[in-house]
Amino acid sequence: PIEKLKSELLSVTSSNEWDEKAGFDINENESTVSITVVGASGDLAKKKIFPALFALYYEGCLPKHFTVYGYARSKMTDAELRNMVSKTLTCRIDKRENCGEKMEEFLKRCFYHSGQYDSEENFAQLDNKLKEHEGGKVSNRLFYLSIPPNIFIDAVKCASSSASSGNGWTRVIVEKPFGRDSDSSAALTKSLKQYLTEDQIFRIDHYLGKELVENLSVLRFSNLIFEPLWSRQYIRNVQLIFSEDFGTEGRGGYFDHYGIIRDIMQNHLLQILALFAMETPVSLDAEDIRNEKVKVLRSMRPLQLEDVVIGQYKSHSKGGVTYPAYTDDKTVPKDSLTPTFAAAALFIDNARWDGVPFLMKAGKALHNKRAEIRVQFRHVPGNLYNRNFGTDLDQATNELVIRVQPDEAIYLKINNKVPGLGMRLDCSNLNLHYAARYSKEIPDAYERLLLDAIEGERRLFIRSDELDAAWSLFTPVLAELEEKKIMPEYYPYGSRGPVGAHYLAARYNVRWG
Ligand code: NDP
Ligand code: BG6
């Protein structure tokens, strides 16, 4: 079918012909949306952006008149782009279904323009092509910057001056990293704002698009039983855990410049923390939610060096296989001190959270892959069961676990009587296991975020003051780690990470879940 599709697509020459083939009435006086993936030849575009756009199309979520343009320096024809994209599309939504027809329809709407990121002329050529497809309708344009950060500004400058919409909206999705520290982030924001207004900038943190992260506010604010417990009075500590069971494979060059604190903690884990700990927003309006997130971030103490443990994975052999060290990557300097693991204790100095440790742990090349929020509650006061039946009945404290991935679930650990004549307690789970409860496949984070950007919904994107607040928490410690050349603790590939993380947690009476 791909071969048949290729030959069909190659025969499509003009945009009118294309519109007719794709079943459009080009005279219809409606608006159009053109989505340009800048850096279309890259890893993220192939892995996430095109598949997410297809899933949205499959679900009928994209506007009637839309076009997807790939833009990059690599030379490619439309047919070659379609061929490349077709290899990454899957029938994610319903695996039993054959999506072939839908894929063909989608691919017919994908085009490619080769150009430099700093060439206004090349973007003007793209503009002409977009106009052909837009056929005089109101044109809305979304640019997705899926390129390395050093060329963000060039691309924004050229896109805004030569390819922005004349009569509709123009929005730009910017991928992380948003700088390396407070100063570089502020400089990036300043440069972006030379060409775009804050309303046009959609800073993406794909963790905000994950189903269970979105559900956090629902869990808190629409269940009576959680919100009253959500404070220092009942919660002993909160853990935010990210682990991957593979190394920096293929991305060592990027990673070495950033490290795990910038790659995961300052953005993904901190965003989850903000949603977890913020006060009730006035409404579900994007600005109301983001106002609350900023407030809680600004109530936090900047991270201290003594509250951080860093690690780096080293080579490890198991079952006849040798797993590489971080520094075995050819794009990483042999003497690199960049952390591939970090654990940190953070504190929020406000009335709700005073004294509660928020422990973060993030690492690559660990023994498993997971992202979780673990909320450990205080001991039951009075402890009736311990008093009456001795220490063998020692109760565990309650723990609420929100497993963001994989195998999404929310479960609450409770003490329960083991059925039978005696009195024995055990710790069991009240379990909301998504795969068992919901039959529908969970959308990929990029689907939700792309749809929101198209619809102009900013709730799940990072505002510039949020970004500033996030950087001020991590910038001093990052500078200190680098200035003092703090050595990471080495841990074997595939292990649980450095033991220092346990000592850090123990200092705050915490055991990692
Ligand atoms: P790539 O390194 O694959 O780059 C994307 C495209 O940009 C390349 O195909 C290339 O296209 C062009 N490019 C690469 N390097 C340069 C350069 N030095 N100068 C000019 N153009 C260059 O990046 P990814 O696709 O991995 O990531 C894109 C963005 O998304 C980055 O900002 C990254 O940090 C971020 N990101 C990526 C994730 C991932 O999983 N890959 C996850 C989260 C964020 P061509 O040569 O054809 O012009
Ligand atoms: C990216 C990081 O933002 O998130 C990567 O740059 C990391 O290093 C990735 O692997 C993890 O995303 P996910 O959705 O696979 O958990």
Side-chain angles (χ1 to χ4, degrees):
I2 294 295
E3 285 313 310
K4 180 173 161 277
L5 173 63
K6 265 202 264 178
S7 65
E8 255 189 54
L9 295 175
L10 281 168
S11 69
V12 177
T13 48
S14 77
S15 64
N16 282 6
E17 214 177 311
W18 163 77
D19 272 348
E20 280 154 23
K21 285 204 176 220
F24 292 144
D25 174 0
I26 53 166
N27 296 319
E28 223 174 69
N29 188 21
E30 284 178 35
S31 60
T32 60
V33 173
S34 308
I35 303 156
T36 302
V37 183
V38 182
S41 55
D43 180 59
L44 187 72
K46 283 185 249 181
K47 229 172 44 188
K48 294 288 184 185
I49 306 172
F50 286 110
L53 287 170
F54 169 63
L56 289 175
Y57 176 69
Y58 183 90
E59 295 251 56
C61 295
L62 290 183
K64 185 172 172 199
H65 299 295
F66 77 91
T67 308
V68 177
Y69 250 90
Y71 185 100
R73 296 170 308 177
S74 303
K75 298 274 177 256
M76 249 192 276
T77 61
D78 292 344
E80 282 163 342
L81 173 89
R82 289 166 185 163
N83 187 29
M84 179 192 90
V85 170
S86 69
K87 290 182 184 142
T88 69
L89 304 185
T90 57
C91 279
R92 178 192 70 67
I93 295 145
D94 189 343
K95 293 195 178 74
R96 289 159 306 180
E97 203 163 312
N98 175 7
C99 310
E101 216 174 284
K102 283 275 181 195
M103 280 187 193
E104 284 189 27
E105 288 169 17
F106 174 76
L107 290 169
K108 279 182 190 167
R109 294 171 180 238
C110 295
F111 299 86
Y112 185 75
H113 185 70
S114 164
Q116 300 294 323
Y117 302 106
D118 59 356
S119 163
E120 296 200 0
E121 193 191 334
N122 291 164
F123 274 90
Q125 290 157 356
L126 171 73
D127 181 60
N128 284 334
K129 289 188 175 176
L130 293 180
K131 280 188 180 134
E132 272 185 51
H133 293 297
E134 289 160 354
K137 299 185 186 77
V138 172
S139 68
N140 296 311
R141 295 185 179 177
L142 177 66
F143 292 87
Y144 194 129
L145 297 192
S146 182
I147 43 178
N150 57 320
I151 46 178
F152 281 174
I153 299 301
D154 283 340
V156 165
K157 178 170 178 262
C158 296
S160 68
S161 63
S162 306
S164 63
S165 164
N167 56 5
W169 51 254
T170 301
R171 296 178 187 142
V172 178
I173 298 183
V174 187
E175 261 295 348
K176 64 177 264 265
F178 314 119
R180 288 187 81 248
D181 53 22
S182 292
D183 288 349
S184 52
S185 166
L188 177 64
T189 298
K190 194 169 166 211
S191 307
L192 285 173
K193 288 190 178 172
Q194 272 181 271
Y195 308 107
L196 301 167
T197 60
E198 178 66 23
D199 269 6
Q200 292 180 290
I201 306 170
F202 286 69
R203 295 179 193 83
I204 207 164
D205 182 316
H206 76 284
Y207 265 62
L208 290 179
K210 295 203 183 256
E211 186 65 41
L212 272 84
V213 176
E214 248 232 296
N215 190 46
L216 253 180
S217 299
V218 178
L219 193 72
R220 283 186 65 187
F221 302 125
S222 73
N223 291 294
L224 185 67
I225 60 163
F226 292 118
E227 193 51 19
L229 304 183
W230 224 251
S231 74
R232 64 190 300 276
Q233 217 179 334
Y234 298 104
I235 292 179
R236 203 155 51 108
N237 67 76
V238 180
Q239 302 175 20
L240 301 143
I241 301 173
F242 168 96
S243 73
E244 278 180 341
D245 54 3
F246 48 88
T248 55
E249 284 103 31
R251 293 185 76 216
Y254 148 82
F255 193 87
D256 201 62
H257 195 49
Y258 290 90
I260 199 82
I261 298 179
R262 294 183 177 94
D263 191 45
I264 303 292
M265 283 188 170
Q266 181 272 347
N267 35 66
H268 303 331
L269 295 188
L270 192 65
Q271 283 298 319
I272 296 179
L273 187 153
L275 284 174
F276 180 95
M278 70 182 183
E279 297 300 316
T280 315
V282 175
S283 77
L284 291 177
D285 183 77
E287 298 321 316
D288 287 333
I289 294 175
R290 298 195 293 184
N291 287 345
E292 292 309 327
K293 283 168 68 193
V294 175
K295 272 197 231 161
V296 79
L297 293 176
R298 290 182 54 206
S299 306
M300 290 178 71
R301 245 181 266 167
L303 182 58
Q304 303 298 307
L305 189 59
E306 63 268 24
D307 282 331
V308 182
V309 169
I310 55 169
Q312 190 187 88
Y313 63 88
K314 58 180 188 184
S315 164
H316 180 60
S317 298
K318 197 175 155 192
V321 183
T322 301
Y323 297 91
Y326 170 64
T327 50
D328 287 341
D329 184 327
K330 289 196 173 45
T331 57
V332 171
K334 283 279 166 252
D335 57 354
S336 171
L337 299 180
T338 300
T340 58
F341 174 99
L346 290 132
F347 293 89
I348 306 174
D349 289 332
N350 66 12
R352 188 190 280 263
W353 296 115
D354 190 14
V356 177
F358 282 78
L359 289 168
M360 286 184 180
K361 184 162 76 166
K364 294 201 173 257
L366 294 174
H367 72 299
N368 66 11
K369 176 169 166 56
R370 66 171 168 154
E372 275 178 359
I373 309 165
R374 301 183 86 96
V375 188
Q376 295 186 343
F377 290 87
R378 293 191 183 281
H379 290 278
V380 175
N383 214 338
L384 188 64
Y385 280 91
N386 276 3
R387 235 181 327 118
N388 289 346
F389 296 95
T391 48
D392 57 326
L393 282 181
D394 206 11
Q395 298 166 57
T397 57
N398 295 122
E399 187 174 24
L400 175 69
V401 182
I402 299 168
R403 192 160 64 218
V404 175
Q405 66 184 34
D407 204 14
E408 293 80 352
I410 302 173
Y411 56 94
L412 179 64
K413 292 188 178 178
I414 58 159
N415 291 302
N416 200 50
K417 178 180 170 300
V418 177
L421 296 178
M423 176 54 75
R424 204 155 60 80
L425 305 193
D426 76 356
C427 182
S428 297
N429 290 345
L430 293 178
N431 195 354
L432 170 56
H433 183 214
Y434 272 50
R437 172 67 183 85
Y438 301 106
S439 55
K440 198 161 191 298
E441 177 100 3
I442 293 178
D444 187 79
Y446 282 86
E447 289 167 38
R448 192 186 315 273
L449 295 169
L450 271 160
L451 183 60
D452 280 0
I454 292 167
E455 292 181 344
E457 168 59 78
R458 291 174 180 78
R459 197 166 41 96
L460 300 179
F461 294 89
I462 317 290
R463 211 167 60 186
S464 67
D465 52 349
E466 263 184 89
L467 187 60
D468 294 345
W471 275 122
S472 22
L473 296 176
F474 288 93
T475 295
V477 84
L478 285 165
E480 217 176 330
L481 283 166
E482 280 155 18
E483 269 158 28
K484 295 184 174 160
K485 294 194 177 357
I486 305 283
M487 290 287 290
E489 270 183 61
Y490 293 97
Y491 61 97
Y493 193 118
S495 68
R496 287 171 185 271
V499 70
H502 294 278
Y503 294 131
L504 173 68
R507 196 140 43 90
Y508 293 105
N509 279 325
V510 178
R511 273 179 72 166
W512 291 106

